[in-house]
Short mmCIF file of all heavy atoms in Angstrom, two decimals:
data_model
loop_
_atom_site.label_atom_id
_atom_site.label_comp_id
_atom_site.label_asym_id
_atom_site.label_seq_id
_atom_site.Cartn_x
_atom_site.Cartn_y
_atom_site.Cartn_z
N MET A 1 30.40 148.16 131.62
CA MET A 1 30.33 146.78 131.19
C MET A 1 29.59 146.71 129.86
O MET A 1 28.46 147.14 129.75
CB MET A 1 29.61 145.94 132.23
CG MET A 1 30.34 145.82 133.54
SD MET A 1 29.43 144.85 134.73
CE MET A 1 30.41 143.38 134.72
N ASP A 2 30.24 146.16 128.91
CA ASP A 2 29.67 146.02 127.57
C ASP A 2 28.84 144.74 127.51
O ASP A 2 29.22 143.71 128.05
CB ASP A 2 30.81 145.98 126.56
CG ASP A 2 30.34 145.91 125.14
OD1 ASP A 2 29.15 146.16 124.89
OD2 ASP A 2 31.17 145.61 124.27
N GLY A 3 27.71 144.79 126.82
CA GLY A 3 26.81 143.64 126.74
C GLY A 3 27.38 142.45 126.00
O GLY A 3 26.93 141.33 126.18
N ASP A 4 28.38 142.65 125.14
CA ASP A 4 28.97 141.57 124.37
C ASP A 4 30.25 141.02 124.98
O ASP A 4 30.78 140.03 124.52
CB ASP A 4 29.27 142.04 122.95
CG ASP A 4 28.00 142.41 122.19
OD1 ASP A 4 26.93 141.85 122.52
OD2 ASP A 4 28.09 143.25 121.30
N THR A 5 30.73 141.66 126.02
CA THR A 5 32.00 141.28 126.62
C THR A 5 31.81 140.15 127.62
O THR A 5 30.84 140.12 128.36
CB THR A 5 32.62 142.50 127.36
OG1 THR A 5 32.75 143.57 126.43
CG2 THR A 5 33.97 142.17 127.92
N LEU A 6 32.75 139.23 127.62
CA LEU A 6 32.77 138.14 128.60
C LEU A 6 33.90 138.42 129.59
O LEU A 6 34.97 138.89 129.21
CB LEU A 6 32.98 136.80 127.91
CG LEU A 6 31.87 136.37 126.97
CD1 LEU A 6 32.23 135.07 126.28
CD2 LEU A 6 30.56 136.21 127.72
N TYR A 7 33.65 138.13 130.86
CA TYR A 7 34.58 138.45 131.92
C TYR A 7 35.06 137.19 132.62
O TYR A 7 34.29 136.26 132.83
CB TYR A 7 33.90 139.36 132.96
CG TYR A 7 33.37 140.63 132.34
CD1 TYR A 7 32.05 140.73 131.95
CD2 TYR A 7 34.21 141.72 132.15
CE1 TYR A 7 31.57 141.89 131.38
CE2 TYR A 7 33.74 142.87 131.57
CZ TYR A 7 32.42 142.96 131.18
OH TYR A 7 31.96 144.10 130.61
N THR A 8 36.34 137.18 133.01
CA THR A 8 36.88 136.08 133.80
C THR A 8 36.40 136.23 135.25
O THR A 8 35.83 137.26 135.62
CB THR A 8 38.42 136.10 133.79
OG1 THR A 8 38.87 137.31 134.42
CG2 THR A 8 38.98 135.98 132.38
N ILE A 9 36.67 135.23 136.05
CA ILE A 9 36.27 135.30 137.46
C ILE A 9 36.95 136.49 138.13
O ILE A 9 36.33 137.22 138.90
CB ILE A 9 36.61 133.99 138.19
CG1 ILE A 9 35.66 132.89 137.76
CG2 ILE A 9 36.55 134.18 139.70
CD1 ILE A 9 35.93 131.55 138.41
N GLY A 10 38.23 136.72 137.85
CA GLY A 10 38.95 137.84 138.45
C GLY A 10 38.37 139.18 138.05
O GLY A 10 38.21 140.07 138.89
N GLU A 11 38.05 139.35 136.78
CA GLU A 11 37.44 140.60 136.32
C GLU A 11 36.07 140.79 136.94
O GLU A 11 35.70 141.89 137.33
CB GLU A 11 37.34 140.61 134.80
CG GLU A 11 38.67 140.68 134.11
CD GLU A 11 38.60 140.39 132.62
OE1 GLU A 11 37.66 139.67 132.19
OE2 GLU A 11 39.47 140.87 131.89
N LEU A 12 35.31 139.71 137.02
CA LEU A 12 33.98 139.78 137.63
C LEU A 12 34.09 140.16 139.10
O LEU A 12 33.30 140.97 139.60
CB LEU A 12 33.29 138.43 137.47
CG LEU A 12 31.78 138.39 137.58
CD1 LEU A 12 31.13 139.27 136.54
CD2 LEU A 12 31.29 136.97 137.45
N ALA A 13 35.07 139.62 139.79
CA ALA A 13 35.28 139.95 141.20
C ALA A 13 35.62 141.43 141.37
O ALA A 13 35.07 142.10 142.25
CB ALA A 13 36.39 139.08 141.78
N ARG A 14 36.50 141.95 140.54
CA ARG A 14 36.86 143.37 140.64
C ARG A 14 35.66 144.27 140.36
O ARG A 14 35.46 145.27 141.03
CB ARG A 14 37.98 143.70 139.67
CG ARG A 14 39.35 143.26 140.15
CD ARG A 14 40.46 143.79 139.27
NE ARG A 14 40.50 143.16 137.96
CZ ARG A 14 40.99 141.95 137.71
NH1 ARG A 14 41.50 141.25 138.69
NH2 ARG A 14 41.00 141.47 136.49
N ARG A 15 34.85 143.89 139.40
CA ARG A 15 33.70 144.73 139.02
C ARG A 15 32.56 144.66 140.02
O ARG A 15 31.82 145.61 140.17
CB ARG A 15 33.21 144.34 137.64
CG ARG A 15 34.21 144.72 136.55
CD ARG A 15 33.72 144.29 135.18
NE ARG A 15 34.65 144.69 134.17
CZ ARG A 15 34.66 145.88 133.59
NH1 ARG A 15 33.79 146.78 133.92
NH2 ARG A 15 35.55 146.16 132.66
N THR A 16 32.39 143.52 140.70
CA THR A 16 31.28 143.37 141.64
C THR A 16 31.69 143.61 143.10
O THR A 16 30.82 143.82 143.94
CB THR A 16 30.68 141.96 141.55
OG1 THR A 16 31.68 141.00 141.90
CG2 THR A 16 30.12 141.68 140.17
N GLY A 17 32.98 143.54 143.39
CA GLY A 17 33.43 143.70 144.77
C GLY A 17 33.36 142.42 145.58
O GLY A 17 33.62 142.42 146.78
N LEU A 18 32.98 141.32 144.94
CA LEU A 18 32.93 140.02 145.61
C LEU A 18 34.28 139.33 145.50
O LEU A 18 34.98 139.50 144.51
CB LEU A 18 31.87 139.13 144.97
CG LEU A 18 30.42 139.57 145.13
CD1 LEU A 18 29.52 138.72 144.24
CD2 LEU A 18 30.00 139.45 146.58
N PRO A 19 34.63 138.51 146.48
CA PRO A 19 35.88 137.75 146.37
C PRO A 19 35.79 136.70 145.26
O PRO A 19 34.71 136.16 144.99
CB PRO A 19 36.02 137.07 147.72
CG PRO A 19 35.04 137.72 148.63
CD PRO A 19 33.99 138.33 147.77
N VAL A 20 36.91 136.42 144.64
CA VAL A 20 36.98 135.37 143.61
C VAL A 20 36.46 134.07 144.17
O VAL A 20 35.74 133.32 143.51
CB VAL A 20 38.43 135.21 143.09
CG1 VAL A 20 38.57 133.98 142.23
CG2 VAL A 20 38.87 136.46 142.35
N ARG A 21 36.81 133.79 145.40
CA ARG A 21 36.40 132.55 146.06
C ARG A 21 34.87 132.41 146.09
O ARG A 21 34.33 131.33 145.89
CB ARG A 21 36.96 132.58 147.47
CG ARG A 21 36.70 131.41 148.28
CD ARG A 21 37.36 131.61 149.63
NE ARG A 21 37.46 130.34 150.28
CZ ARG A 21 38.17 130.11 151.34
NH1 ARG A 21 38.86 131.08 151.88
NH2 ARG A 21 38.22 128.93 151.87
N THR A 22 34.17 133.50 146.34
CA THR A 22 32.70 133.48 146.39
C THR A 22 32.11 133.21 145.02
O THR A 22 31.20 132.39 144.86
CB THR A 22 32.17 134.82 146.94
OG1 THR A 22 32.69 135.01 148.25
CG2 THR A 22 30.65 134.84 146.98
N ILE A 23 32.64 133.87 144.00
CA ILE A 23 32.15 133.67 142.64
C ILE A 23 32.40 132.24 142.20
O ILE A 23 31.53 131.59 141.61
CB ILE A 23 32.79 134.68 141.67
CG1 ILE A 23 32.36 136.10 142.05
CG2 ILE A 23 32.41 134.36 140.23
CD1 ILE A 23 33.07 137.19 141.31
N ARG A 24 33.57 131.72 142.51
CA ARG A 24 33.89 130.34 142.15
C ARG A 24 32.96 129.36 142.87
O ARG A 24 32.48 128.39 142.27
CB ARG A 24 35.35 130.02 142.49
CG ARG A 24 35.77 128.65 142.00
CD ARG A 24 37.25 128.39 142.19
NE ARG A 24 38.02 129.23 141.29
CZ ARG A 24 38.95 130.09 141.71
NH1 ARG A 24 39.21 130.24 142.99
NH2 ARG A 24 39.61 130.81 140.84
N PHE A 25 32.67 129.60 144.13
CA PHE A 25 31.77 128.74 144.90
C PHE A 25 30.39 128.72 144.25
O PHE A 25 29.82 127.65 144.02
CB PHE A 25 31.67 129.22 146.35
CG PHE A 25 30.62 128.48 147.14
CD1 PHE A 25 30.91 127.23 147.67
CD2 PHE A 25 29.36 129.01 147.32
CE1 PHE A 25 29.94 126.53 148.39
CE2 PHE A 25 28.38 128.32 148.03
CZ PHE A 25 28.68 127.08 148.57
N TYR A 26 29.83 129.90 143.96
CA TYR A 26 28.50 129.96 143.34
C TYR A 26 28.50 129.37 141.94
O TYR A 26 27.52 128.78 141.51
CB TYR A 26 27.98 131.39 143.33
CG TYR A 26 27.51 131.85 144.69
CD1 TYR A 26 27.98 133.03 145.25
CD2 TYR A 26 26.61 131.09 145.43
CE1 TYR A 26 27.54 133.44 146.50
CE2 TYR A 26 26.18 131.50 146.68
CZ TYR A 26 26.65 132.68 147.21
OH TYR A 26 26.23 133.08 148.44
N SER A 27 29.60 129.49 141.24
CA SER A 27 29.70 128.90 139.91
C SER A 27 29.71 127.38 140.00
O SER A 27 29.00 126.69 139.26
CB SER A 27 30.95 129.40 139.20
OG SER A 27 31.04 128.88 137.91
N ASP A 28 30.49 126.84 140.93
CA ASP A 28 30.55 125.39 141.12
C ASP A 28 29.21 124.83 141.59
O ASP A 28 28.85 123.70 141.24
CB ASP A 28 31.64 125.02 142.14
CG ASP A 28 33.04 125.25 141.61
OD1 ASP A 28 33.21 125.39 140.38
OD2 ASP A 28 33.98 125.28 142.44
N ALA A 29 28.47 125.61 142.36
CA ALA A 29 27.16 125.18 142.87
C ALA A 29 26.07 125.30 141.81
O ALA A 29 24.96 124.83 142.02
CB ALA A 29 26.79 125.99 144.10
N GLY A 30 26.37 125.95 140.70
CA GLY A 30 25.40 126.10 139.63
C GLY A 30 24.50 127.33 139.75
O GLY A 30 23.60 127.53 138.95
N VAL A 31 24.75 128.15 140.77
CA VAL A 31 23.95 129.36 140.97
C VAL A 31 24.28 130.39 139.90
O VAL A 31 23.40 131.06 139.37
CB VAL A 31 24.17 129.94 142.38
CG1 VAL A 31 23.42 131.24 142.57
CG2 VAL A 31 23.77 128.93 143.44
N VAL A 32 25.56 130.53 139.58
CA VAL A 32 26.02 131.46 138.55
C VAL A 32 26.83 130.65 137.54
O VAL A 32 28.05 130.59 137.62
CB VAL A 32 26.89 132.59 139.15
CG1 VAL A 32 27.34 133.57 138.08
CG2 VAL A 32 26.17 133.31 140.26
N PRO A 33 26.17 130.00 136.61
CA PRO A 33 26.91 129.18 135.65
C PRO A 33 27.69 130.05 134.67
O PRO A 33 27.24 131.14 134.30
CB PRO A 33 25.81 128.40 134.92
CG PRO A 33 24.59 129.23 135.07
CD PRO A 33 24.72 129.97 136.37
N PRO A 34 28.86 129.58 134.25
CA PRO A 34 29.63 130.34 133.27
C PRO A 34 28.90 130.39 131.93
O PRO A 34 28.20 129.46 131.55
CB PRO A 34 30.94 129.57 133.15
CG PRO A 34 30.72 128.26 133.78
CD PRO A 34 29.53 128.36 134.66
N THR A 35 29.06 131.49 131.24
CA THR A 35 28.45 131.67 129.93
C THR A 35 29.21 130.87 128.88
O THR A 35 28.63 130.30 127.96
CB THR A 35 28.49 133.16 129.54
OG1 THR A 35 27.83 133.89 130.57
CG2 THR A 35 27.81 133.42 128.23
N ASP A 36 30.54 130.80 129.05
CA ASP A 36 31.40 130.13 128.08
C ASP A 36 32.71 129.80 128.76
O ASP A 36 32.91 130.14 129.93
CB ASP A 36 31.62 131.07 126.88
CG ASP A 36 32.10 130.35 125.63
OD1 ASP A 36 32.17 129.11 125.64
OD2 ASP A 36 32.38 131.05 124.64
N ARG A 37 33.59 129.16 128.04
CA ARG A 37 34.97 128.92 128.50
C ARG A 37 35.91 129.31 127.37
O ARG A 37 35.59 129.15 126.20
CB ARG A 37 35.17 127.46 128.88
CG ARG A 37 34.42 127.09 130.14
CD ARG A 37 34.81 125.70 130.62
NE ARG A 37 34.07 125.34 131.80
CZ ARG A 37 34.58 125.39 133.03
NH1 ARG A 37 35.82 125.76 133.21
NH2 ARG A 37 33.85 125.04 134.07
N ASN A 38 37.08 129.83 127.75
CA ASN A 38 38.05 130.18 126.71
C ASN A 38 38.84 128.95 126.30
O ASN A 38 38.61 127.85 126.80
CB ASN A 38 38.94 131.34 127.17
CG ASN A 38 39.90 130.97 128.27
OD1 ASN A 38 40.02 129.82 128.67
ND2 ASN A 38 40.59 131.95 128.80
N HIS A 39 39.80 129.11 125.40
CA HIS A 39 40.56 127.97 124.86
C HIS A 39 41.36 127.24 125.93
O HIS A 39 41.66 126.07 125.79
CB HIS A 39 41.47 128.43 123.73
CG HIS A 39 42.54 129.37 124.18
ND1 HIS A 39 42.31 130.71 124.41
CD2 HIS A 39 43.84 129.16 124.46
CE1 HIS A 39 43.43 131.28 124.81
NE2 HIS A 39 44.38 130.36 124.85
N ALA A 40 41.69 127.92 127.04
CA ALA A 40 42.43 127.29 128.13
C ALA A 40 41.51 126.67 129.18
O ALA A 40 41.99 126.08 130.15
CB ALA A 40 43.34 128.32 128.78
N GLY A 41 40.20 126.83 129.02
CA GLY A 41 39.26 126.24 129.94
C GLY A 41 38.78 127.15 131.05
O GLY A 41 38.03 126.74 131.93
N TYR A 42 39.24 128.42 131.04
CA TYR A 42 38.80 129.35 132.07
C TYR A 42 37.35 129.74 131.86
O TYR A 42 36.90 129.94 130.74
CB TYR A 42 39.66 130.63 132.05
CG TYR A 42 41.08 130.39 132.50
CD1 TYR A 42 42.12 130.41 131.59
CD2 TYR A 42 41.37 130.15 133.83
CE1 TYR A 42 43.43 130.19 131.98
CE2 TYR A 42 42.68 129.93 134.23
CZ TYR A 42 43.69 129.96 133.32
OH TYR A 42 44.97 129.74 133.72
N ARG A 43 36.64 129.87 132.97
CA ARG A 43 35.22 130.26 132.90
C ARG A 43 35.08 131.72 132.51
O ARG A 43 35.84 132.56 132.97
CB ARG A 43 34.57 130.07 134.27
CG ARG A 43 34.61 128.67 134.76
CD ARG A 43 34.12 128.62 136.17
NE ARG A 43 35.12 127.98 136.99
CZ ARG A 43 34.87 127.39 138.14
NH1 ARG A 43 33.67 127.39 138.64
NH2 ARG A 43 35.83 126.81 138.82
N LEU A 44 34.09 132.00 131.69
CA LEU A 44 33.79 133.36 131.26
C LEU A 44 32.33 133.65 131.56
O LEU A 44 31.46 132.80 131.40
CB LEU A 44 34.07 133.52 129.77
CG LEU A 44 35.51 133.27 129.33
CD1 LEU A 44 35.61 133.28 127.82
CD2 LEU A 44 36.45 134.29 129.94
N TYR A 45 32.06 134.89 131.98
CA TYR A 45 30.73 135.29 132.39
C TYR A 45 30.28 136.53 131.65
O TYR A 45 31.09 137.40 131.33
CB TYR A 45 30.70 135.59 133.90
CG TYR A 45 31.13 134.40 134.72
CD1 TYR A 45 32.47 134.18 135.03
CD2 TYR A 45 30.20 133.49 135.16
CE1 TYR A 45 32.86 133.09 135.77
CE2 TYR A 45 30.59 132.38 135.91
CZ TYR A 45 31.91 132.19 136.21
OH TYR A 45 32.29 131.10 136.92
N ASP A 46 28.96 136.64 131.42
CA ASP A 46 28.41 137.81 130.75
C ASP A 46 27.64 138.66 131.76
O ASP A 46 27.70 138.43 132.96
CB ASP A 46 27.50 137.40 129.57
CG ASP A 46 26.31 136.58 130.01
OD1 ASP A 46 26.09 136.39 131.22
OD2 ASP A 46 25.57 136.13 129.12
N LEU A 47 26.91 139.66 131.26
CA LEU A 47 26.17 140.56 132.14
C LEU A 47 25.07 139.87 132.94
O LEU A 47 24.76 140.27 134.05
CB LEU A 47 25.56 141.71 131.33
CG LEU A 47 26.54 142.76 130.84
CD1 LEU A 47 25.82 143.80 130.00
CD2 LEU A 47 27.27 143.41 132.00
N ASP A 48 24.48 138.82 132.40
CA ASP A 48 23.46 138.08 133.14
C ASP A 48 24.05 137.45 134.41
O ASP A 48 23.38 137.37 135.44
CB ASP A 48 22.83 136.99 132.28
CG ASP A 48 21.96 137.55 131.18
OD1 ASP A 48 21.43 138.68 131.36
OD2 ASP A 48 21.80 136.89 130.16
N ALA A 49 25.29 137.03 134.35
CA ALA A 49 25.94 136.45 135.52
C ALA A 49 26.15 137.51 136.60
O ALA A 49 26.04 137.21 137.79
CB ALA A 49 27.28 135.83 135.13
N VAL A 50 26.42 138.73 136.19
CA VAL A 50 26.61 139.81 137.15
C VAL A 50 25.31 140.11 137.87
O VAL A 50 25.26 140.31 139.08
CB VAL A 50 27.13 141.09 136.46
CG1 VAL A 50 27.21 142.24 137.44
CG2 VAL A 50 28.47 140.83 135.81
N ALA A 51 24.21 140.09 137.11
CA ALA A 51 22.90 140.40 137.69
C ALA A 51 22.50 139.31 138.65
O ALA A 51 21.92 139.51 139.66
CB ALA A 51 21.87 140.54 136.59
#
């Protein structure tokens, strides 16, 4: 995982072993807020979100 790279929910799920549904739940609850959003509005996460 590169420190400058942003990951989608799907990529984050594959890298952490958590279901997409779990990451989305925690993101919606504000526990793991997205770092940014892409031009289409998809949530993007950095290494801090993984930790």
Side-chain angles (χ1 to χ4, degrees):
M1 294 179 107
D2 183 14
D4 296 333
T5 304
L6 295 176
Y7 302 96
T8 63
I9 288 179
E11 292 167 334
L12 200 59
R14 282 189 290 282
R15 291 178 179 275
T16 61
L18 293 170
V20 169
R21 181 179 198 168
T22 300
I23 296 171
R24 186 173 291 122
F25 173 81
Y26 285 127
S27 182
D28 290 344
V31 176
V32 181
T35 304
D36 199 5
R37 290 189 181 258
N38 69 6
H39 65 281
Y42 291 108
R43 299 173 234 203
L44 300 172
Y45 301 88
D46 61 6
L47 287 178
D48 290 333
V50 175

